[in-house]
Amino acid sequence: MTRPYVVTNVTIIDAVRMISKGFVKVKDKKIVAVGEGEPQAEYGWERIDGQKKILMPGLVNTHGHTPMTLLRGISDDLPLERWLNEKIWPAEAALDDESAAAGTALAIVEMIRSGTTCFADMYHLNREGAAALTEESGMKASLSRGMIAFGSKKEQQEKLKTAIDYAKSCQSSASGRLRGAVFPHAPYTCPLEFLRETKAKAEEAALPLQIHIAETRKEVKEHETKHGLPPVAHLLEEGILTKGSLAVHAVHINHSELTGLKDNGVHVSHNPQSNLKLGSGIAPLPQLLNHHIPVSLGTDSAASNNTLDVFDEMRQAAMVHKGLEEEANATDAQTILEMATVNGANALGFSNAGFIEEGYDADFIFINSDQAHMIPRINHGTLVYSATGRDVTDVFVEGKPLMRDGRLLTVDEEKIRHEAMAASEKLADDH
Amino acid sequence: MTRPYVVTNVTIIDAVRMISKGFVKVKDKKIVAVGEGEPQAEYGWERIDGQKKILMPGLVNTHGHTPMTLLRGISDDLPLERWLNEKIWPAEAALDDESAAAGTALAIVEMIRSGTTCFADMYHLNREGAAALTEESGMKASLSRGMIAFGSKKEQQEKLKTAIDYAKSCQSSASGRLRGAVFPHAPYTCPLEFLRETKAKAEEAALPLQIHIAETRKEVKEHETKHGLPPVAHLLEEGILTKGSLAVHAVHINHSELTGLKDNGVHVSHNPQSNLKLGSGIAPLPQLLNHHIPVSLGTDSAASNNTLDVFDEMRQAAMVHKGLEEEANATDAQTILEMATVNGANALGFSNAGFIEEGYDADFIFINSDQAHMIPRINHGTLVYSATGRDVTDVFVEGKPLMRDGRLLTVDEEKIRHEAMAASEKLADDH
């Protein structure tokens, strides 16, 4: 689809507006016009009929571990320690590059199907493969080689070098659709000295830092005991969390940490379903938003969710605080949609995506709104309170179709599902 | 499909078991055999291939207002008082029997599509029509004519008589698939004297009582001020909530009320999404379950949800308490599935549904498990944490197919969607 095209007769919704019947023109990877009613005819342009569809920005998933898609459903309803010790770590130990690749491919299928156009992926296996597969799939991604730094100084140095090199290679991808990030796993799995060094190297290479932080109450307590400060405050003070860094989870944070995150321009990846399912807690989303901290949404891995559907994250993010605070307006659909689209794109370094607006990358999806659970009226709430990933029919990234009418165009779905099943059967702990 | 049939090669999951590859035999509206592996051949039986499907009990939705499906999305993110005063009540005032019928029909389409086989429906309009349409659709339901008793004594008497007559007529439906219930709206909309009389008449007619109760903190506080007891304790003491009654919401209840509900055999309809979305609060589900109170799940109306998908209720019911209590095992998938199936059936007076077991009514659905977001492993968690109503392909009630391969067989979906859109456009407040 190298010809320019125009989507007509379509309902257009992004975080800031809604057009009940309009058009979107796409040329050279970009949205070149958006309007109400009928577009002017242009010679040689293809037409796509968007009737009974909603056209919205592609969703952005700012936290995940794609190889772990293979561990979906391996362990539900277990306390975190048992979940890790008895199920996840033994299963992860059995993963290798090949099975990790099968998990990443499965994740990519699921993400495209559910309307995600851009994602973050941190893991330690099959990194080159993940980059190649993402390029091939047509998606956008911020990729990182995760680092747990329990080893010797020498091992730490090697890990860091490999991680930096990998992130650099992603930054200079052929397609321009990849970004690289530096991801030390967490303050409790990386010594402070290692975090400092990681930050220095990341800055040197102009790479953003991402880190799991303040996920559980236990982590925060132990960090305070050891360092005299809770982890977010500590890493802010250390200059490890700075402008453009991504703090993942940030469930247990205090008021001064909220101010610190805001003042330092740190992004937060809010992972409501994973935080609930693992019993980690509930991040203070309304407070994060009141502090104007740029919050985006992440699914975390399918092992703690159990899907990669950002629509589910939107609904959960919107729902839980209304009940908790006993205020139906504790959250609103437009803000939630902003988190799942433009905030996500910004958090991952894609400053030109997330709106349906002239000059933005043509990253958008279609929702089939001609279904019983969507009618009789369409608005921002439809996307947050009624839609799921299973309502997505078409996905475009930089104008290129990755899915049309429910059919994946850039990856071999059947083969990928088959390989995921086979890889899962080989995992020793899956019995 | 009056011939007996057998579903083969299917994964069978209900609240108490899972068979990875088995069969279910259906004859004369009943499940007559369930087993592992291949069934013995029987002459004249039809075969349905269940490969790559999960066969599970049909879901039961124990609370809703089907005509309000027409109000889906009319108002999101507004505080309860403004939601009611500015949006819902004016829109409801504009509803009539005809538009209510359009809403009920739309609800039935959505419910069948999302795997619900049995539902509760309380409203004050188009009751005969709702009964007729339910019969026609092939679904099971507990129907009631809701009563708000602000009027004169005479008006109250008339309302009560009409409601009792309606419930009786449902109890004696031709198909046997309907039940009737008596539904005084709430303690704050019905004087105590009216509730007493309603209960007396309901007992006389052997009809169960359902009531919205303890939905908001405000309601509970005002009830205590007026009557010296919180509403659940009060209605237990009054003998208005008794064995087989259905307390809807029960969000704000204290410890002695938990014991009272248990001791008196009262069912609870838990409506997690509606309670969250309206800012009502979060019902103490783990405590209800610890007290062995029979809890089932309800969507409430689409105006406060915004879908009628019981899969969404399952996931929400399972998720929120894990995070709140910071315990990943605060809930578990099997218990949640029990709530959505057998507990729901019992709550609505269908004692012979909710399990995939010999002798039970053949009320079951198929889930397409051959999808990226469901693999690589299937278990109870798949139904609670991965599946949505959009994954349902087939629905059977008493052995009769209501949906096959995504096609509705008993209702005219296109016509119903069209009529819902038209009815919605006529609502004055929809602008």
Side-chain angles (χ1 to χ4, degrees), chain A residues 93-170:
Chain A
L95 287 179
D96 56 16
D97 277 347
E98 193 188 334
S99 47
T104 296
L106 182 60
I108 283 176
V109 168
E110 184 184 356
M111 288 192 287
I112 298 176
R113 284 216 160 277
S114 53
T116 293
T117 52
C118 180
F119 65 100
D121 184 34
M122 177 277 226
Y123 212 65
H124 56 281
L125 294 172
N126 188 48
R127 293 294 78 195
E128 281 69 26
L133 187 55
T134 305
E135 290 266 77
E136 203 181 305
S137 74
M139 295 183 79
K140 287 177 170 169
S142 164
L143 303 176
S144 58
R145 177 182 287 271
M147 297 176 284
I148 288 181
F150 286 138
S152 70
K153 187 82 187 166
K154 182 156 174 284
E155 285 165 338
Q156 290 181 19
Q157 295 297 331
E158 276 165 14
K159 269 194 184 172
L160 180 53
K161 187 180 180 316
T162 317
I164 297 275
D165 288 349
Y166 176 65
K168 280 185 185 168
S169 77
C170 293

Side-chain angles (χ1 to χ4, degrees), chain A residues 346-359:
Chain A
N346 286 337
L348 299 187
F350 296 92
S351 57
N352 209 40
F355 286 120
I356 305 301
E357 207 168 283
E358 191 185 322

